[in-house]
């Protein structure tokens, strides 16, 4: 039976259109192999939207995303728009997309691929076998809390204010996503907070601890964020699934990403309750190499695989793509960011071609 899906593509800025083209080609091949029909529709976001219509997240883009089965995003931002007011910057469009789709859970894997283990800046014995999933709360915490802003005090001095706040309901829903994610992995969940200093973290720890009784098969532990950051570098294999708030998750997921040696290899998923999820690579728009056929499309392709697994419930298709990536790396094909001596240096389009050949052999 044919399964049909409407996918909104958001190529965005910089290398986005180049890596998106590769991911779409890969999805088309897998779709033909497994009787999946994809209806692709493209929309503007970020700097491309600012240049075209004067705002980073046009209303019709958000509406198109809401009416999709999943959203595949490439990259946004660039030097060109850095001087714009905050509400007009490309990144504001991304925050608006997450809020507009109520995407409260961000899943970011940090997995050491054996072919790239020597790309990590840490010793082989430290990182070999690392397989971590960071579950980050995405629509609350200090990035969204009120009041916020720069205010003038009675003495005329300016004072910057951001508010870190979480309700019980916000903590519970991200906690459930984390426990359920851990159930599908190694059944170990580490909750990261700063409960020794912050009242909001005390509530976080209380709620996560209470939730644990609903998931008796998952081993729960707690770490303060400073210790968690140290442990990620000292002994990363102790972690399976990590759950934490927006600010701490932003920092720790980037730190975990660099264990793998190349941020250009890592996908992510942003999920909610009812609306479609957004799937995107962790890396940025790399405007310095845009249009030069130097970009690494593998994180975008792996984001498409996460879309198939977590957004469309097509794990077989996801696994086929992931296996093709491993086969390409086994053959020695590399883009510049993951290049090492004796390997085959490829551009973005050629790496896409190599992926297609691997899929057709499967």
């Amino acid at each position: 039976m044919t399964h049909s899906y409407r996918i909104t593509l958001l190529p965005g800025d910089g290398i986005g259109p180049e890596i998106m083209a590769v991911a779409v080609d890969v999805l088309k091949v897998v779709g033909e192999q497994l009787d999946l029909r994809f209806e692709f529709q493209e929309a503007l976001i970020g700097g491309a939207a600012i240049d075209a219509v004067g705002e980073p997240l046009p209303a019709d883009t958000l509406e198109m995303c809401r009416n999709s089965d999943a959203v595949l995003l490439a990259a946004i931002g660039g030097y060109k728009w850095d001087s714009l007011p905050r509400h007009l910057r490309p990144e504001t469009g991304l925050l608006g997309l997450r809020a507009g789709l109520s995407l409260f859970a961000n899943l970011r894997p940090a997995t050491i691929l054996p072919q790239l283990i020597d790309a990590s800046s840490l010793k082989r014995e430290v990182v070999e076998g690392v397989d971590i999933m960071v579950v980050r709360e995405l629509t609350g915490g200090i990035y969204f809390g009120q009041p916020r802003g720069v205010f003038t005090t009675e003495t005329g001095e300016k004072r910057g204010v951001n508010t870190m706040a979480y309700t019980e309901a916000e903590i519970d829903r991200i906690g459930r996503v984390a426990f359920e994610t851990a159930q599908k992995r190694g059944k170990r969940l580490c909750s990261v907070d700063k409960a020794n200093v912050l009242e909001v973290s005390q509530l976080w720890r209380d709620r996560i601890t209470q939730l644990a009784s609903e998931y008796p098969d998952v081993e729960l532990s707690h770490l303060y964020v400073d210790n968690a950051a140290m442990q990620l570098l000292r002994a990363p294999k102790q972690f399976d699934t990590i759950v934490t708030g927006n600010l701490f998750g932003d920092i720790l997921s980037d730190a975990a990403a660099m264990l793998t040696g190349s941020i250009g290899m890592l996908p992510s998923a942003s999920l909610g309750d009812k609306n479609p999820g957004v799937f995107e690579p962790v890396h940025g728009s790399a405007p310095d190499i845009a249009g030069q056929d130097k970009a690494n499309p593998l994180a975008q392709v792996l984001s498409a695989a996460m879309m198939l697994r977590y957004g469309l419930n097509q794990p077989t298709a996801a696994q086929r793509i992931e296996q093709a990536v491993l086969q390409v790396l086994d053959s020695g094909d590399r883009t510049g960011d993951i290049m090492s001596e004796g390997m085959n240096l490829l551009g973005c389009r050629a790496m896409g071609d190599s992926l297609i050949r691997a899929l057709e052999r499967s």
Side-chain angles (χ1 to χ4, degrees), residues 65 105 147 152 238 284 332 344 346-347 351 358:
C65 291
T152 302
Q238 69 184 279
N344 314 314
L346 300 181
M351 181 61 85

Side-chain angles (χ1 to χ4, degrees), residues 271-292:
L271 308 174
D273 282 330
K274 299 175 182 176
N275 289 308
V278 174
F279 304 86
E280 60 181 304
V282 169
H283 62 68
S285 62
D288 52 320
I289 61 169
Q292 300 176 36

Side-chain angles (χ1 to χ4, degrees), residues 19 22-23 25-26 29-30 33 296-302 320-329 331 333 346 348-362:
I19 59 177
V22 172
D25 286 344
V26 167
V29 171
V30 170
Q33 292 175 333
N296 182 350
L298 295 180
Q300 184 74 65
V301 169
L302 291 170
R320 188 166 290 212
I321 290 175
E322 291 159 355
Q323 289 300 314
V325 169
L326 293 177
Q327 288 173 31
V328 163
L329 294 174
S331 73
D333 290 345
L346 300 181
C348 183
R349 287 190 298 271
M351 181 61 85
D353 293 340
S354 184
L355 281 167
I356 298 298
R357 289 193 294 271
L359 284 169
E360 289 173 343
R361 288 194 300 267
S362 64

Side-chain angles (χ1 to χ4, degrees), residues 5-10 20 23-24 26-28 36-40 68-73 267-271 276-280 299-315 317-318 321-322:
Y5 302 102
R6 179 180 297 165
I7 311 298
T8 294
L9 306 175
L10 303 176
M20 182 67 81
V24 169
V26 167
L27 284 168
K28 287 178 179 176
L36 307 175
R37 185 161 102 47
F38 300 111
E39 176 190 336
F40 296 109
S68 304
D69 294 301
V71 178
L72 190 60
L73 171 67
S268 73
S270 299
L271 308 174
V278 174
F279 304 86
E280 60 181 304
Q300 184 74 65
V301 169
L302 291 170
S303 296
M306 282 194 84
M307 178 184 75
L308 289 164
R309 175 173 280 113
Y310 293 100
L312 305 179
N313 196 28
Q314 292 290 343
I321 290 175
E322 291 159 355

Side-chain angles (χ1 to χ4, degrees), residues 247-295:
L247 174 62
F248 299 156
D250 194 357
I251 296 166
L252 291 178
S253 58
D254 277 354
M258 286 316 298
L259 295 172
T260 69
S262 176
I263 205 167
M265 289 295 300
L266 298 174
S268 73
S270 299
L271 308 174
D273 282 330
K274 299 175 182 176
N275 289 308
V278 174
F279 304 86
E280 60 181 304
V282 169
H283 62 68
S285 62
D288 52 320
I289 61 169
Q292 300 176 36
D293 194 36
K294 294 180 178 179

Side-chain angles (χ1 to χ4, degrees), residues 209-223:
T209 300
Q210 288 187 40
L211 276 178
S213 63
E214 299 178 23
Y215 303 90
D217 57 330
V218 175
E219 177 189 334
L220 175 65
S221 61
H222 302 272
L223 282 179

